[in-house]
């Protein structure tokens, strides 16, 4: 089984070819970051138009790199949501048309399922069941993954996602969009303990998160910023608060589920202090930790192709000619931990 995967839910146009037996054959990505930078955030209409421009050349490039002809493709997977509706419609319409023309099924994929399964692209993949911490620009969730397609939501952010909090605080510090990685770079020059931020929700039971208070605390703290060192100290304090919150909630979730593997996925999984702190925590808890490689932490086509391949093998393909695109689409129904 060989699947072409297409991701267009936000500001990356990404395409990949995944083969059930041989693994990932090729992947390409075009980031729109420069296009949106002047606006300080993603402009949905510009994103949609750029996906239209980029998709076909990217598909040609991945097929060529995978030495694959359309005849060897068994299905076309695409992100059907959640995400920006216009951007999703471009990917969905494109993927469905391609599948129709090639006479193969099209496969709708949930963007977060893609992130969850991204570590399966690595050499030493996690085995089901496992606990997943999903930390992206749009979501912060702890998910109990019993098997392929079997996801139980244990906790999530009640307001801002972790990546969103990073981006908003970065903006307050005058860093260009998307600021998560830049804030972290600035924080690496900051000193610990100069700025103390609250650890949201750690004093309460349960596995939910809240990051909007942290953002407000950051706003207040910026008023006393004078020097470059002040900025770095603030960034360090903020990052530490987010990291410790994510780590302690993950520890709780490992204990309450009894899982001995933790998968960390989504754009914020690229954060180095978070990775290091989670490794330490997992060692203390006797658990193994799995990350996708850095480039597959953020949005990519490979995760959609591998999720699509699993779906195709399970027969979960589009049954009619409708165009599927869901701006809001829960991965799971919520179950109280
Ligand atoms: O998963 P992703 O590529 O897109 C969404 O589906 O949201 O995640 C993007 C998010 C952004 O908020 C970005 O600032 C954040 O991941 N991010 C980071 C780092 N690299 C990316 N946040 C903190 N530290 C990083 N190194
Ligand atoms: Zn994502």
């Amino acid at each position: 089984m060989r699947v072409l995967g297409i991701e267009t839910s936000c500001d990356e146009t990404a395409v990949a070819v995944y083969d059930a037996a041989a693994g990932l054959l090729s992947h390409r990505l075009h980031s729109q970051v420069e296009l949106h930078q002047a606006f300080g955030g993603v402009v949905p209409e510009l994103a949609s138009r750029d996906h239209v421009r980029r998709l076909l050349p990217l598909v040609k490039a991945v097929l060529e790199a995978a030495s694959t002809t359309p005849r060897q493709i068994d299905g076309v997977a695409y992100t059907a949501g959640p995400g920006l509706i216009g951007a999703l419609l471009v990917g969905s319409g494109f993927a469905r048309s391609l599948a129709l023309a090639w006479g193969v099924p099209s496969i709708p994929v949930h963007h977060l399922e893609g992130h969850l399964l991204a570590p399966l692209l690595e050499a030493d993949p996690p085995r089901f069941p496992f606990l997943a911490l999903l930390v992206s620009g749009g979501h912060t969730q702890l998910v109990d993954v019993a098997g392929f397609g079997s996801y139980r939501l244990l906790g999530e952010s009640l307001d801002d996602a972790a990546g969103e909090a990073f981006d908003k605080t970065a903006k307050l510090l005058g860093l260009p969009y998307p600021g998560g990685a830049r804030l972290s770079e600035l924080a690496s020059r900051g000193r610990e303990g100069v700025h103390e931020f609250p650890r949201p929700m750690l004093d309460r039971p349960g596995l939910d998160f809240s990051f909007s208070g942290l953002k407000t605390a950051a706003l207040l703290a910026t008023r006393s910023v004078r020097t470059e060192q002040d900025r770095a100290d603030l960034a360090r304090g903020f990052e530490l608060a987010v990291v410790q919150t994510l780590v302690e909630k993950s520890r709780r979730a490992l204990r309450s589920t009894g899982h001995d593997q933790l998968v960390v996925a989504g754009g914020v999984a690229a954060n180095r202090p978070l990775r290091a702190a989670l490794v330490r925590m997992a060692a203390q808890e006797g658990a193994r930790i799995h990350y996708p490689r850095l480039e597959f932490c953020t949005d990519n086509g490979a995760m959609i192709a591998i999720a699509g391949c699993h779906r195709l093998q399970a027969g979960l393909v589009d049954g009619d000619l409708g165009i599927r695109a869901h701006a809001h689409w829960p991965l799971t129904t919520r179950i109280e931990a």
Side-chain angles (χ1 to χ4, degrees), residues 7 9-12 82 111-112 115 135-139 161-168 170 177-185 239 265-274 294 296-300 303:
E7 154 65 32
S9 67
C10 190
D11 59 346
E12 333 270 2
H111 182 77
L112 298 185
H115 276 303
V135 269
S136 72
H139 295 84
E164 194 178 352
F166 263 101
D167 293 343
K168 286 179 176 171
Y177 168 87
R182 285 188 171 90
L183 184 141
S184 186
E185 200 187 302
E239 183 176 56
V268 184
N271 183 274
R272 287 180 196 281
L274 175 65
L294 281 177
F296 294 160
C297 284
T298 45
D299 292 348
N300 64 86
M303 69 184 195

Side-chain angles (χ1 to χ4, degrees), residues 40 47 136 240 285 297 299 304 316 337:
S136 72
L240 203 66
E285 299 298 315
C297 284
D299 292 348
I304 303 305
L316 300 168

Side-chain angles (χ1 to χ4, degrees), residues 103-305:
V104 296
S106 60
I107 311 147
V109 172
H110 194 291
H111 182 77
L112 298 185
E113 179 174 59
H115 276 303
L116 281 181
L117 299 184
L120 299 179
L121 291 159
E122 302 307 327
D124 181 19
R127 274 188 295 275
F128 298 119
F130 54 76
L131 174 72
L133 171 67
L134 206 64
V135 269
S136 72
H139 295 84
T140 303
Q141 298 188 336
L142 279 161
V143 184
D144 185 347
V145 182
F148 167 71
S150 177
Y151 312 114
R152 193 165 66 103
L153 182 63
L154 301 172
E156 65 183 332
S157 179
L158 303 177
D159 39 59
D160 292 351
E164 194 178 352
F166 263 101
D167 293 343
K168 286 179 176 171
T169 303
K171 202 167 180 175
L172 288 174
L173 289 168
L175 297 166
Y177 168 87
R182 285 188 171 90
L183 184 141
S184 186
E185 200 187 302
L186 180 64
S188 69
R189 297 190 291 276
R191 294 164 298 177
E192 214 175 298
V194 179
H195 280 279
E196 284 295 346
F197 282 90
R199 306 292 190 255
M201 312 281 286
L202 274 192
D203 52 346
R204 282 190 238 166
L207 298 171
D208 286 329
F209 304 89
S210 164
F211 292 109
S212 66
L214 212 49
K215 186 186 62 195
T216 311
L219 175 64
L220 293 175
T222 49
R223 294 187 182 155
S224 63
V225 166
R226 302 276 178 274
T227 65
E228 189 56 24
Q229 187 61 51
D230 289 343
R231 285 175 80 234
D233 292 342
L234 195 162
R236 178 67 175 257
F238 169 84
E239 183 176 56
L240 203 66
V242 176
V243 166
Q244 282 188 354
T245 306
L246 293 172
V247 167
E248 290 315 315
K249 292 277 171 168
S250 302
R251 188 197 302 276
R252 260 185 221 176
L254 277 174
R255 287 181 183 175
S256 74
T257 57
H259 287 321
D260 59 1
Q261 298 168 97
L262 173 65
V263 157
V264 191
V268 184
N271 183 274
R272 287 180 196 281
L274 175 65
R275 291 168 87 94
L278 284 169
V279 166
R280 282 195 299 275
M281 181 277 285
Q284 288 160 1
E285 299 298 315
R288 282 204 61 187
I289 192 151
H290 293 269
Y291 291 103
R293 71 194 81 162
L294 281 177
E295 64 183 321
F296 294 160
C297 284
T298 45
D299 292 348
N300 64 86
M303 69 184 195
I304 303 305

